[in-house]
Amino acid sequence: MIIVSYPNIGEYERIVYNFLDKIIDKSKCKILRPEKNNRKILELGEENSPTNVCTPFKYTLGSMINSLNKGANVIIQIGGGCRFGYYAQIQEKILKKDMGYDFDFINLYNGNKLEFFKAVKKAKILNSNLKVQSLLKEIYFIVKLLRFSDNIITYIRDNECYIDDKEHLKKIKNMILDDMLKIKTVNEISLKNIKYKKEIDKLINKKDGKLKIGIVGELYSLMDSFSSNFLEKDLLKKGYKVKRYTTASYLLLDKNKMQKNLLNNSKLYLKYKIGADGTESVAHTLELINKGYDGVIHIKPFGCTPEINAMPILKKISDDYSFPIMFYTFDTLNSDTGFQTRVEAFIDMLEMRKK
Ligand code: SF4
């Protein structure tokens, strides 16, 4: 039996599952959903990675080792962009040559380029009857699903601080997570979108005076709660208005089109793109200042060079606009308490400024 798995990032593994569920030959293949990131996965990745590699490498490697230990014999590495684009090649060598795992590795990216036809050829392992046409149809569906889930989750995040009925909101969120796994048609997506939007709108009760905080920085830490100590969830729970721009649909579908605009909007501080999401960190911080936000938290994993490039520029912006920005680097040895204390102190300061 073929058992296919893939590394985890946030809730997006649900969408990957949905996609695979539609294309595999179920008589010969089953899907092993990766565990959510946790300490054990991080330790597995840490033990087997080069010391100075950035933390997402360790999370994704740990996630793959965990699935291989549970019986997976095919692994798909989906990440692209930045050094992530070349991680797959190194991870394959570590897993096969250093650790001795015997499995098929499907790598969708070479550098920053999606290797579509090579991937189709490899995908035959999962279903020998798979046709390019049906694969394209499923890709179209999955792009729609990704767009729907990112849009609706962003809409909730943007309005969560104005919703008092948290129980009802939790139910809607769980239904959306469930849909990411189970929705099967584009028509269903449209209907669900209308339904959830109506339900959420009924719960929103806009009130002024909320503290507004933006979160910018590296994509993995922004999209995976565990890797950023649940920062976003925590701020939302405390009732602050939270803005985060980076989503998988932005990275995969919009980023290329938006880069020129972002660079243009930050031309006083940037002449060239600075790699990965560094340009976004600068441009989005400027946008948040213009929108009247009270402060920004910049997060990155240990070893992330594009965000190290963005930091001095953000410090200059902070000085020029007298705008508070907190910087935090997540490492494999983070202390939850130290992090909480820094966030709380930063928020206290924002609240005092606002008063
Ligand atoms: S953006 Fe940073 S953390 Fe992410 S792959 Fe690139 S260097 Fe690593």
Side-chain angles (χ1 to χ4, degrees):
M1 188 72 164
I2 290 163
I3 303 173
V4 61
S5 195
Y6 41 92
N8 193 19
I9 173 165
E11 300 295 354
Y12 289 114
E13 73 83 14
R14 290 162 184 270
I15 291 184
V16 181
Y17 171 87
N18 191 324
F19 176 69
L20 289 174
D21 190 54
K22 290 182 106 193
I23 65 159
I24 58 166
D25 173 353
K26 287 186 182 138
S27 64
K28 295 188 183 115
C29 180
K30 62 180 186 184
I31 307 163
L32 177 68
R33 285 177 63 193
E35 266 178 52
K36 279 189 174 208
N37 279 339
N38 56 47
R39 184 106 324 252
K40 175 186 73 180
I41 283 175
L42 183 56
E43 279 166 12
L44 279 174
E46 168 90 336
E47 277 162 26
N48 297 290
S49 300
T51 325
N52 286 328
V53 77
C54 55
T55 325
F57 183 102
K58 297 175 183 174
Y59 275 111
T60 47
L61 184 70
S63 180
M64 289 189 269
I65 296 172
N66 194 45
S67 296
L68 287 166
N69 290 345
K70 285 179 168 181
N73 48 27
V74 176
I75 296 279
I76 306 177
Q77 171 56 296
I78 305 150
C82 190
R83 288 195 262 166
F84 233 127
Y86 296 104
Y87 277 3
Q89 287 83 345
I90 306 167
Q91 289 174 328
E92 185 177 10
K93 278 197 178 135
I94 293 175
L95 293 168
K96 287 185 174 168
K97 292 209 168 127
D98 299 352
M99 302 185 73
Y101 286 108
D102 181 18
F103 66 103
D104 275 302
F105 193 72
I106 303 179
N107 175 21
L108 299 187
Y109 276 86
N110 183 10
N112 283 335
K113 269 203 321 236
L114 174 68
E115 298 207 298
F116 180 71
F117 288 104
K118 219 166 150 191
V120 174
K121 242 183 178 173
K122 282 255 188 175
K124 296 266 180 194
I125 301 172
L126 311 176
N127 183 348
S128 51
N129 295 320
L130 194 64
K131 300 271 178 311
V132 174
Q133 242 175 351
S134 52
L135 191 64
L136 284 173
K137 196 176 135 226
E138 297 313 337
I139 290 174
Y140 173 76
F141 163 77
I142 223 67
V143 165
K144 291 269 177 198
L145 181 60
L146 180 65
R147 187 66 95 185
F148 152 73
S149 44
D150 271 343
N151 283 353
I152 199 81
I153 289 169
T154 302
Y155 188 67
I156 292 179
R157 189 188 309 116
D158 289 350
N159 290 291
E160 188 160 338
C161 66
Y162 306 119
I163 296 176
D164 296 323
D165 190 348
K166 300 290 184 209
E167 271 311 301
H168 195 158
L169 184 67
K170 196 172 159 195
K171 270 189 203 148
I172 298 176
K173 280 187 189 172
N174 286 338
M175 284 194 281
I176 295 168
L177 290 178
D178 222 38
D179 287 339
M180 285 163 84
L181 284 172
K182 292 183 187 152
I183 284 189
K184 293 291 175 215
T185 64
V186 174
N187 199 23
E188 260 182 281
I189 294 176
S190 315
L191 294 173
K192 295 270 183 176
N193 195 26
I194 298 168
K195 174 182 169 235
Y196 292 138
K197 194 93 192 314
K198 264 190 195 160
E199 275 192 51
I200 296 160
D201 283 345
K202 270 193 234 155
L203 299 177
I204 296 174
N205 173 18
K206 290 224 172 187
K207 295 173 204 147
D208 285 338
K210 297 276 178 189
L211 197 70
K212 295 192 265 180
I213 304 164
I215 312 179
V216 301
E218 191 269 345
L219 65 104
Y220 197 92
S221 331
L222 288 172
M223 297 191 302
D224 187 86
S225 307
F226 181 84
S227 72
S228 51
N229 273 5
F230 303 97
L231 169 68
E232 182 183 297
K233 283 190 178 161
D234 233 45
L235 295 177
L236 287 168
K237 215 157 132 195
K238 287 179 177 144
Y240 306 122
K241 182 165 172 66
V242 177
K243 185 71 196 167
R244 184 244 293 181
Y245 294 88
T246 303
T247 58
S249 49
Y250 169 76
L251 296 167
L252 296 169
L253 310 170
D254 305 326
K255 187 176 168 95
N256 283 344
K257 295 178 268 178
M258 303 282 286
Q259 285 271 303
K260 216 171 155 190
N261 265 350
L262 293 178
L263 210 51
N264 197 31
N265 295 346
S266 31
K267 61 178 178 242
L268 288 177
Y269 295 92
L270 277 179
K271 262 192 184 166
Y272 311 102
K273 290 187 260 179
I274 50 174
D277 288 340
T279 313
E280 277 81 356
S281 292
V282 173
H284 291 150
T285 299
L286 289 167
E287 191 173 323
L288 291 163
I289 294 172
N290 285 332
K291 285 186 170 164
Y293 271 67
D294 298 291
V296 156
I297 303 180
H298 174 266
I299 55 175
K300 71 170 173 59
F302 170 77
C304 175
T305 33
E307 294 302 331
I308 292 173
N309 291 338
M311 284 169 71
I313 307 168
L314 292 175
K315 281 183 185 147
K316 172 103 178 70
I317 292 174
S318 171
D319 286 347
D320 291 354
Y321 287 85
S322 193
F323 181 76
I325 303 179
M326 173 187 146
F327 297 92
Y328 200 87
T329 298
F330 292 98
D331 195 359
T332 47
L333 299 170
N334 276 323
S335 127
D336 290 358
T337 333
F339 174 66
Q340 293 299 342
T341 312
R342 278 203 54 197
V343 174
E344 277 165 24
F346 182 69
I347 289 172
D348 282 350
M349 183 269 292
L350 295 185
E351 267 165 354
M352 280 193 290
R353 271 173 62 104
K354 201 172 171 77
K355 273 181 202 155

